[in-house]
Structure formats: structure tokens, C-alpha cells
């Protein structure tokens, strides 16, 4: 591919390490390289072939199940079995060896490890009878398909939960008052420090956009660095968040409002905006107003950039929200609080289920050897209750 003298033929899509996941292929980002007609058989993957990563994530593999063939580059291995049923058997065995930590014993390299062709050629694999392979693969296929179905249902439920909250917000902020610009609801609308601040072993936390949890819309202070007290004290007041302010992500995953509801000192970067409400604006109500689909659409319409979309402070100031009396704002916010809290609990439950299903799909079920060296699926009472560490 990198040799200009040999790089001839028609551009054709090909698989890289990044395209090979466990049990599946991600074809959303395929590149192309030139292939001559006489090279097609040598560099193509056809239905039933097992594709294994040589580097990146050594040993990660998937079976190509599509009718049409595809090409592959040298960082991948193509394994074509005499018995087609052995492909999925080997795939499950590779996963079992990876989870147990034994697979890495076949890798070369100290920093970046590789599962070389020589190592793969010498990789021992038990070969039960065809009947045993068919029975065990069928059991595992059924189990993984059941997990995949459960995950798809959970993901669908999670999306429905998000849509339910969005629908309620849309209704709550639809036709409930005259629209006014956000700049009229705030004493300050600004962003954080544009210059990278000097770090200090002690002092005041400095948050970046990565500290904003978009699921919970809260600040995660667990992985922040600190700046000196002198640096913090020199900041202008509107760059020192205080209780009742609303933060708003303006870059990347823009449009996430976060209510500052604790008396804690911290400062922030320029990818986060700060909105300090006027005395006649309720902070919780304003947070929900900015979370509503109406405000989100306005921000999206004004965002600029391609690789990283950004909402300028000018666009943010021009976002409109309903004009409501303070008591009415608090009434609306209280109603949304109930729905939002229940929705948050529902989403947390579904995400916990998704995490459990993901762990379940990676259990080393093929971990017990029979007397003839083949693998069998242990009964439910002997399956682990959690995924063991590689050293276990």
C-alpha cells in the first residue's frame, strides 16, 4: 500500500484494525487502496473467513458474514478454514483466551504488542468433533443473540426516556409567554479563560468541557487540575462561578446547561459559557429553558465550524426564552423537577442494565476443558458472577 511502484490498480475499500470489532465489523470509515485484478484473491476476505487483528488490539476478531467480498491490509490476518464451522469456534476460543489473559502470551513486542503471523500459525486450538463444535457454537450464538436483543431493547428504552423528557420540555416552553433574548435575563454572559492556566499542586479546581457530564448535566470534579489561589483571585467576578449561575457548553457537545447549585470555588475554560441570571429569573427554570428543544434548535442554527461546532457568545445572547413572572417560573421548574428526577432514575437504571449486559457478553463461557481437550459451556451454577481480572 505504501510502495508507490507496487501501488497500482483500481481504488478498492479495505479493512483496517479499526474496522474489526469483536464479532462484527465497523464499515462506517473505510479507506481505499489500489488493487490489481491478479491481486484480488490474495488480498480479499470472503464470506466465512475469520479476520484477526495483528496489532492495535491483537487477537480481536470477527467472521465476515457478507456475501460480497472485501479487501484487507497487512495489519490483519485472514484465516480460511477447511471446515467453515471452525471459524466461529475459533472466534469464541480467541475471545476466551483474550479474557483469561492467556492470549497475550503469544504476542511479540514490549511497548506495542503484535500477534504475528508466525505466532498465529503456531497458536494451539482444541478441535472437537464437528458435532461438538456445532452444539457449542449454537449454544453460544443463542446466548450472545439474546444479550444483543436485550441490549437493543435497553438502548431503545433509553432513547425513549430521553425523548419523553424532551417532549415534556417542548410542551412546557411552548407558547407560554413573550419571547425575550437571553441577554435580557442575565447580568453577565461570558466564557472562561482563553489562555491555558498554569497548574498548581494546590488551589482551586479548573474544569474543562470534559468535566461536564452530559447525561446527568452535572460537573465531575474527580479529574480536574488545580490553579493557584493567586490566579483565581485575579480573575474577573464573572469568571468565578457562584451558586445560581448556569454553565453552558459552547464547543463540541454544545448546548448542555448545568446549574451551579453548590457553594464551591472553581474556574473554567473558554469552551464553557457562564450565564448569571438577573434577580427576576429563576436559575432552575433557566436551566430547563436552555435544555428545551426550542433553545437547542436556536443554538444549532447559529453554531459554526465543521470539525468542532461552536456556539459563539453572540449567538448564545440572542437565544430567546419565554418571559414569565418569577413565581410562574418557579412553578414550571418545580413540575419539571419531578419529571426530570424520575427520568434520571429511569435512565440510570437502563444504563446500569446496559453495563451489566456488556459485561455479560464478555464472560469467558468457554473456560472449562473436557477430557479430550475440547471446550464446553459450564452450567449456570458454575459461571462467574463477574468478569475476572486477566491475572485471575
Amino acid at each position: 500500500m505504501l510502495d508507490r511502484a507496487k501501488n497500482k490498480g483500481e481504488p478498492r475499500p479495505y479493512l483496517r484494525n479499526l474496522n474489526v470489532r469483536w464479532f462484527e465489523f465497523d464499515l462506517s470509515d473505510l479507506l481505499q487502496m489500489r488493487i490489481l485484478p491478479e491481486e484480488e484473491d490474495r488480498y480479499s476476505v470472503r464470506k466465512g473467513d475469520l479476520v484477526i487483528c495483528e496489532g492495535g488490539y491483537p487477537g480481536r476478531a470477527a467472521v465476515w458474514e457478507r456475501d460480497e467480498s472485501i479487501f484487507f491490509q497487512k495489519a490483519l490476518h485472514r484465516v480460511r478454514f477447511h471446515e467453515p464451522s471452525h471459524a466461529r469456534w475459533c472466534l469464541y476460543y480467541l475471545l476466551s483466551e483474550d479474557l483469561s489473559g492467556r492470549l497475550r502470551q503469544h504476542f511479540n513486542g514490549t511497548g506495542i504488542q503484535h500477534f504475528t503471523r508466525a505466532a498465529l500459525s503456531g497458536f494451539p486450538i482444541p478441535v472437537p468433533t464437528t458435532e461438538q463444535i456445532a452444539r457449542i457454537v449454537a449454544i453460544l450464538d443463542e446466548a450472545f443473540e439474546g444479550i444483543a436483543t436485550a441490549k437493543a431493547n435497553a438502548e431503545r428504552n433509553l432513547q425513549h426516556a430521553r425523548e419523553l423528557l424532551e417532549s415534556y420540555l417542548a410542551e412546557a416552553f411552548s407558547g407560554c409567554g413573550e419571547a425575550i433574548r437571553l441577554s435580557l435575563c442575565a447580568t453577565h454572559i461570558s466564557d472562561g479563560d482563553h489562555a491555558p492556566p498554569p497548574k498548581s499542586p494546590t488551589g482551586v479546581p479548573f474544569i474543562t468541557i470534559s468535566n461536564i457530564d452530559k447525561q446527568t448535566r452535572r460537573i465531575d470534579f474527580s479529574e480536574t487540575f488545580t490553579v493557584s489561589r493567586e490566579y483565581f483571585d485575579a480573575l474577573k467576578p464573572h469568571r468565578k462561578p457562584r451558586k445560581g449561575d448556569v454553565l453552558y457548553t459552547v464547543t463540541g457537545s454544545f448546548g448542555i446547561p448545568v446549574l451551579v447549585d453548590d457553594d464551591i470555588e472553581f474556574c473554567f475554560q473558554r469552551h464553557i459559557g457562564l450565564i448569571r441570571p438577573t434577580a427576576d429569573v429563576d436559575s432552575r427554570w433557566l436551566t430547563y429553558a436552555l435544555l428545551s428543544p426550542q433553545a437547542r434548535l436556536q443554538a444549532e442554527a447559529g453554531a459554526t465550524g465543521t470539525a468542532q461546532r461552536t456556539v459563539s457568545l453572540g449567538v448564545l445572547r440572542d437565544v430567546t426564552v419565554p418571559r414569565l413572572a418569577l413565581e410562574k417560573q418557579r412553578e414550571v421548574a418545580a413540575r419539571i423537577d419531578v419529571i426530570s428526577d424520575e427520568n434520571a432514575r429511569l435512565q440510570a437504571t437502563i444504563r446500569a442494565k446496559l453495563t451489566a449486559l456488556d459485561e455479560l457478553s464478555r464472560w469467558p463461557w468457554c473456560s472449562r476443558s473436557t477430557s479430550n481437550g475440547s471446550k464446553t459451556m459450564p452450567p449456570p451454577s458454575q459461571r462467574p458472577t463477574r468478569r475476572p481480572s486477566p491475572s485471575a
Side-chain angles (χ1 to χ4, degrees):
M1 182 175 60
L2 301 179
D3 189 327
R4 289 184 177 274
K6 297 179 180 179
N7 193 6
K8 300 176 181 179
E10 292 296 319
R12 308 293 289 274
Y14 69 94
L15 297 172
R16 300 170 288 159
N17 276 334
L18 293 175
N19 302 118
V20 181
R21 322 307 299 174
W22 276 115
F23 292 88
E24 62 185 7
F25 296 89
D26 179 2
L27 306 181
S28 63
D29 184 28
L30 291 178
L31 301 182
Q32 292 190 339
M33 63 178 169
R34 295 184 179 276
I35 298 289
L36 291 168
E38 57 268 27
E39 297 174 320
E40 290 189 3
D41 184 63
R42 181 178 179 183
Y43 298 120
S44 64
V45 173
R46 70 189 187 200
K47 187 174 183 177
D49 287 346
L50 179 64
V51 181
I52 305 172
C53 291
E54 187 265 347
Y57 187 134
R60 186 169 63 192
V63 176
W64 185 255
E65 303 282 8
R66 293 171 173 250
D67 291 326
E68 67 276 11
S69 61
I70 194 170
F71 298 96
F72 70 105
Q73 55 133 245
K74 65 178 183 178
L76 297 173
H77 300 302
R78 178 194 65 189
V79 183
R80 186 170 293 162
F81 293 88
H82 295 296
E83 294 289 339
S85 62
H86 287 184
R88 289 195 69 79
W89 167 253
C90 185
L91 173 59
Y92 280 120
Y93 185 72
L94 281 169
L95 176 62
S96 174
E97 293 296 279
D98 174 59
L99 292 169
S100 70
R102 292 187 294 268
L103 188 61
R104 63 171 58 95
Q105 298 172 7
H106 302 275
F107 300 162
N108 294 335
T110 52
I112 301 176
Q113 295 189 314
H114 296 272
F115 194 16
T116 65
R117 178 178 177 179
L120 178 60
S121 297
F123 178 66
I125 178 172
V127 183
T129 65
T130 301
E131 291 76 15
Q132 286 177 311
I133 286 179
R135 178 175 59 84
I136 297 170
V137 168
I139 291 172
L140 292 173
D141 278 348
E142 182 180 2
F144 276 79
E145 286 171 8
I147 293 171
T149 300
K151 285 181 69 175
N153 289 337
E155 287 168 353
R156 201 157 42 240
N157 290 338
L158 183 60
Q159 182 60 32
H160 289 164
R162 292 175 183 146
E163 291 171 354
L164 179 64
L165 178 59
E166 186 171 305
S167 175
Y168 189 84
L169 287 168
E171 182 180 351
F173 290 96
S174 176
C176 59
E178 172 194 356
I180 60 171
R181 294 170 63 238
L182 187 61
S183 59
L184 298 177
C185 301
T187 60
H188 286 93
I189 296 180
S190 59
D191 55 8
D193 201 340
H194 285 231
K199 298 180 182 179
S200 173
T202 59
V204 179
F206 184 95
I207 70 164
T208 67
I209 197 168
S210 62
N211 297 113
I212 302 294
D213 188 327
K214 65 180 181 179
Q215 301 292 346
T216 62
R217 302 190 307 279
R218 299 189 69 85
I219 303 170
D220 180 4
F221 286 99
S222 63
E223 293 186 11
T224 56
F225 64 86
T226 55
V227 296
S228 68
R229 168 59 62 177
E230 292 75 18
Y231 172 87
F232 178 77
D233 289 342
L235 291 173
K236 294 180 179 179
H238 58 268
R239 285 185 170 166
K240 297 177 183 178
R242 66 190 189 194
K243 187 175 181 179
D245 287 347
V246 179
L247 303 183
Y248 187 89
T249 57
V250 296
T251 302
S253 297
F254 65 83
I256 303 171
V258 176
L259 174 62
V260 180
D261 54 3
D262 290 316
D263 285 316
I264 180 173
E265 290 184 326
F266 68 94
C267 44
F268 58 103
Q269 68 170 181
R270 65 185 179 91
H271 298 310
I272 300 172
L274 179 145
I275 304 158
R276 182 159 293 163
T278 56
D280 59 347
V281 174
D282 181 78
S283 298
R284 288 182 306 143
W285 175 84
L286 184 60
T287 304
Y288 288 132
L290 291 172
L291 186 64
S292 69
Q294 292 92 325
R296 175 77 184 185
L297 288 173
Q298 294 177 65
E300 287 179 348
T304 58
T306 52
Q308 194 173 48
R309 302 275 285 167
T310 298
V311 177
S312 69
L313 291 182
V315 169
L316 184 58
R317 292 186 180 105
D318 285 338
V319 169
T320 60
V321 296
R323 184 196 294 273
L324 291 179
L326 182 59
E327 286 306 314
K328 183 65 175 178
Q329 294 174 26
R330 290 171 177 167
E331 180 186 322
V332 171
R335 289 203 308 268
I336 300 177
D337 277 344
V338 175
I339 300 295
S340 179
D341 290 346
E342 184 61 34
N343 192 272
R345 283 192 290 272
L346 176 60
Q347 290 195 38
T349 300
I350 297 172
R351 281 194 291 270
K353 182 180 291 186
L354 283 168
T355 300
L357 288 169
D358 188 58
E359 288 295 314
L360 184 64
S361 68
R362 291 181 60 79
W363 275 356
W365 286 347
C366 301
S367 60
R368 188 165 58 109
S369 297
T370 61
S371 58
N372 65 359
S374 65
K375 297 286 182 176
T376 62
M377 183 176 177
S381 61
Q382 297 181 21
R383 295 176 197 162
T385 56
R386 62 180 177 85
R387 178 184 172 187
S389 64
S391 60

